[in-house]
Amino acid sequence: MGVWYHVAEPNSYLVITGAGVDKVMIKKKALVYPFQKVSKISITPFDFSMSLQAMTIEKLKFSLPAVFTIGPADTLEALEKYAVLLTGESDGRPATAATKGNVAVSAGRNHVQDIVKGIIEGETRSIVSTMTMEELFRERKVFKDKVIQQVQSELDQFGLCIYNANVKELQDTPGSEYFAVLSRKAHEGALNQAKVDVADARMKGEVGEAEKQGKTKQEVAKIHAATAVLETERKGEKASADAKLTDKEIQIGKELNIARINAKREAERRDAELNTEVEKKKALMELERLRATTVTQAKIAKESSQEKADAELYAQEKAAEGRKFSEEADADAAAYRMTKDAEAQFLAKEREAEANFYTSKRAAEAEFFKKEREAQAALITQQREAEGLSAMAKAYGDLANVLGGPQGLMQYLMLQNNTYERLANANALAIKGMQPKINVWNTGAQGEGAGAADSMGPIRNLFQSLPPLLSTIHDQTGMQPPAWLAQMPQDPQAYSAKQRMELRNGSDV
């Protein structure tokens, strides 16, 4: 027996019991005295897998594979609990004792795993029995947290700690196809939705492609139209330039031909002059020779005459040929000139016709565009007038409702437009300047049993004739007299035949 100094590995602790220790003492390094016992415990976490058979609140059985990583908590309190309750063998045999200062780490952990497995199965089943299958799927993290929380609360009494818990996918128990059917349902739903998405994307792509193609064709058509307009303008400019160039070429050709004819005529004239001078010199030389020869003077005279006649004949022939050639050249030049003039006139008329056609075409297009814009402006004007009339009619309808009906609106408009005043002026102008003489003859009683003559009878008869007159005007025009003058009955049928007869002339006759 002696004092030994022990040091634990990084992943283990020394557990000392014996003399001087009340319960257990946990150390990393310590001196072990006589009558004391030391052992080592490992705090390395250990993994174990399990497949739990559980049942939900809906009585659906399933298999829950899970892997838990559990080990002693690295605190003195937890290590004391772990050392007291879980070290050693499951049958109660103590761990291997230290021999001569060597202490082995306790390796018996099978009973620890059995305890932990029992705790996990019990807590997991109790939690699953209060949840539905849909909640297990939808709240997987909540379920995992609940399991860890409940299991950890039970493991605290053993000084153990859950470092990690991995809950795998739920599986069917033998004879059950619940998850397989759900998987097929989800797969088919995803496949159908994918088909719908593909069809929708294809539809959008085709519609977008058609829109882009339509816009492309529209832009191409605009470009072609603008190009055609520019080409037409360039052709017109080119035609005008070609006409000017042709006129210039004709003028240059004409001047060149005239210059050639003048040069040719000048050469012919110069040739004739040189021939004449040559003949003159020949005649002079011959004359000198004849003068020098006295013997053959007569012969010389004769030959001189002959030569002179020949020279004159030759000169006349050359002059005739020159005139003939000049006339032919003039005729050719005139014909060429006339031909070129005719061609130039034809080209000029052709260019003028093309220019007139292009001008007429542009004028027609401008007139068509003008007519089109005028028609559009007229259409917009009529639409605005129709809208204004509609608004005015609506306003008149509202005004008629305020004034008590169409008759009130008509009287308001007649007052607003001074219709009564104009009618009065027209009636005044109609009788202006007249000097009527009105004689009222009263021949006696108006009927049997009448008394003395009534001087107010004609005036009364005049006023009695106003109601039928106003009734006739109302029936024909719909116009009623002012309220201060007379009021028309609401129901024309209310009058009896006798009352109508009385309104006619004021009598029963």
Side-chain angles (χ1 to χ4, degrees):
M1 297 180 65
V3 179
W4 298 91
Y5 184 74
H6 296 272
V7 178
E9 287 78 9
N11 63 336
S12 63
Y13 280 90
L14 298 175
V15 179
I16 303 172
T17 59
V21 179
D22 292 336
K23 192 174 183 180
V24 292
M25 185 171 58
I26 307 297
K27 295 288 186 178
K28 271 289 187 181
K29 56 185 179 294
L31 290 172
V32 180
Y33 297 98
F35 303 105
Q36 289 184 347
K37 187 176 182 179
V38 62
S39 64
K40 290 184 180 180
I41 58 174
S42 175
I43 62 172
T44 302
F46 54 91
D47 296 334
F48 67 94
S49 301
M50 58 177 294
S51 181
L52 175 65
Q53 304 292 328
M55 182 181 296
T56 65
I57 195 173
E58 303 164 327
K59 302 300 187 294
L60 295 176
K61 292 183 179 181
F62 65 94
S63 177
L64 179 63
V67 178
F68 287 85
T69 302
I70 298 175
D74 192 8
T75 63
L76 291 177
E77 182 180 0
L79 289 174
E80 288 179 358
K81 292 179 180 180
Y82 177 73
V84 171
L85 298 176
L86 299 179
T87 54
E89 301 296 335
S90 60
D91 55 0
R93 289 183 290 109
T96 305
T99 58
K100 297 182 180 180
N102 295 324
V103 181
V105 178
S106 299
R109 288 192 175 185
N110 294 330
H111 66 289
V112 177
Q113 294 184 4
D114 294 337
I115 294 173
V116 172
K117 183 176 180 181
I119 294 173
I120 292 174
E121 288 181 352
E123 296 298 329
T124 304
R125 284 195 180 99
S126 64
I127 294 173
V128 170
S129 63
T130 61
M131 299 178 67
T132 63
M133 190 65 72
E134 184 66 24
E135 290 175 347
L136 288 175
F137 272 104
R138 187 176 61 252
E139 300 177 358
R140 180 71 61 85
K141 188 176 184 305
V142 175
F143 169 68
K144 177 182 175 182
D145 293 340
K146 284 183 178 181
V147 171
I148 294 175
Q149 182 180 2
Q150 294 295 332
V151 173
Q152 183 63 55
S153 65
E154 295 295 329
L155 293 179
D156 286 340
Q157 60 184 334
F158 297 100
L160 296 175
C161 175
I162 299 176
Y163 289 97
N164 183 38
N166 185 12
V167 179
K168 298 182 180 179
E169 293 295 331
L170 304 181
Q171 298 178 358
D172 290 320
T173 58
S176 175
E177 295 183 355
Y178 180 79
F179 295 111
V181 173
L182 286 181
S183 177
R184 287 196 298 270
K185 177 182 177 182
H187 178 72
E188 293 297 332
L191 181 61
N192 293 333
Q193 185 62 37
K195 290 181 180 179
V196 172
D197 294 340
V198 170
D200 188 37
R202 187 181 293 111
M203 179 192 69
K204 291 182 180 178
E206 291 178 356
V207 171
E209 183 180 3
E211 290 179 353
K212 293 299 182 182
Q213 289 179 356
K215 290 182 179 179
T216 302
K217 290 181 180 180
Q218 292 176 3
E219 295 298 329
V220 170
K222 290 181 181 178
I223 294 173
H224 287 172
T227 304
V229 172
L230 292 176
E231 287 181 353
T232 304
E233 294 177 354
R234 296 298 178 269
K235 286 182 180 179
E237 295 175 357
K238 184 176 181 300
S240 177
D242 292 340
K244 292 180 180 180
L245 178 61
T246 304
D247 294 339
K248 191 66 175 178
E249 289 178 350
I250 292 172
Q251 183 178 1
I252 293 173
K254 186 187 297 184
E255 293 176 356
L256 182 61
N257 291 330
I258 293 173
R260 288 176 179 174
I261 293 171
N262 291 332
K264 189 174 182 180
R265 289 182 178 178
E266 183 66 22
E268 291 176 352
R269 185 184 64 78
R270 185 61 179 167
D271 186 53
E273 289 179 356
L274 292 176
N275 288 333
T276 302
E277 291 179 359
V278 169
E279 294 299 329
K280 287 180 179 180
K281 288 181 179 180
K282 286 181 178 179
L284 290 174
M285 290 174 64
E286 187 65 23
L287 181 59
E288 292 295 330
R289 188 180 64 80
L290 290 175
R291 286 177 181 177
T293 307
T294 57
V295 178
T296 58
Q297 187 174 7
K299 187 176 179 179
I300 292 171
K302 181 180 178 181
E303 291 179 355
S304 176
S305 299
Q306 185 71 29
E307 291 292 330
K308 185 176 181 180
D310 292 339
E312 291 176 355
L313 179 61
Y314 178 79
Q316 291 176 0
E317 289 178 354
K318 291 298 182 182
E321 290 178 358
R323 286 193 298 273
K324 179 181 178 181
F325 183 80
S326 177
E327 290 175 356
E328 290 178 354
D330 292 339
D332 292 339
Y336 179 80
R337 212 165 32 249
M338 292 175 65
T339 301
K340 293 301 181 181
D341 291 340
E343 291 177 355
Q345 291 177 0
F346 173 75
L347 291 174
K349 290 181 178 180
E350 184 178 8
R351 297 294 186 272
E352 183 178 2
E354 291 179 355
N356 292 333
F357 171 74
Y358 179 76
T359 303
S360 301
K361 180 180 178 181
R362 300 300 292 180
E365 291 177 352
E367 186 67 21
F368 172 76
F369 184 78
K370 179 181 178 182
K371 295 290 186 182
E372 184 179 10
R373 289 294 182 266
E374 289 178 353
Q376 293 178 356
L379 176 60
I380 294 173
T381 302
Q382 292 177 359
Q383 290 177 350
R384 294 296 184 270
E385 290 177 354
E387 293 175 357
L389 290 176
S390 177
M392 186 180 294
K394 184 177 180 181
Y396 281 154
D398 297 338
L399 186 59
N401 294 331
V402 173
L403 296 176
Q407 185 62 33
L409 175 63
M410 184 179 295
Q411 293 178 1
Y412 171 77
L413 293 176
M414 292 178 70
L415 291 173
Q416 185 73 16
N417 297 326
N418 298 323
T419 304
Y420 292 117
E421 183 179 352
R422 290 201 296 270
L423 288 174
N425 291 332
N427 292 330
L429 291 174
I431 63 175
K432 184 178 181 181
M434 298 177 61
Q435 296 179 358
K437 294 181 179 180
I438 300 174
N439 295 324
V440 179
W441 296 89
N442 190 351
T443 58
Q446 298 296 324
E448 296 180 359
D454 186 4
S455 60
M456 296 300 293
I459 298 175
R460 184 172 61 253
N461 292 336
L462 176 62
F463 277 97
Q464 288 178 350
S465 65
L466 284 176
L469 177 62
L470 295 175
S471 177
T472 302
I473 294 173
H474 175 67
D475 293 338
Q476 293 180 355
T477 64
M479 297 176 58
Q480 294 183 359
W484 53 266
L485 179 62
Q487 290 186 354
M488 298 301 295
Q490 298 298 326
D491 187 5
Q493 302 298 331
Y495 290 100
S496 63
K498 183 178 181 180
Q499 289 172 332
R500 289 178 179 274
M501 182 176 64
E502 290 176 353
L503 290 173
R504 191 175 300 118
N505 54 12
S507 65
D508 295 337
V509 181

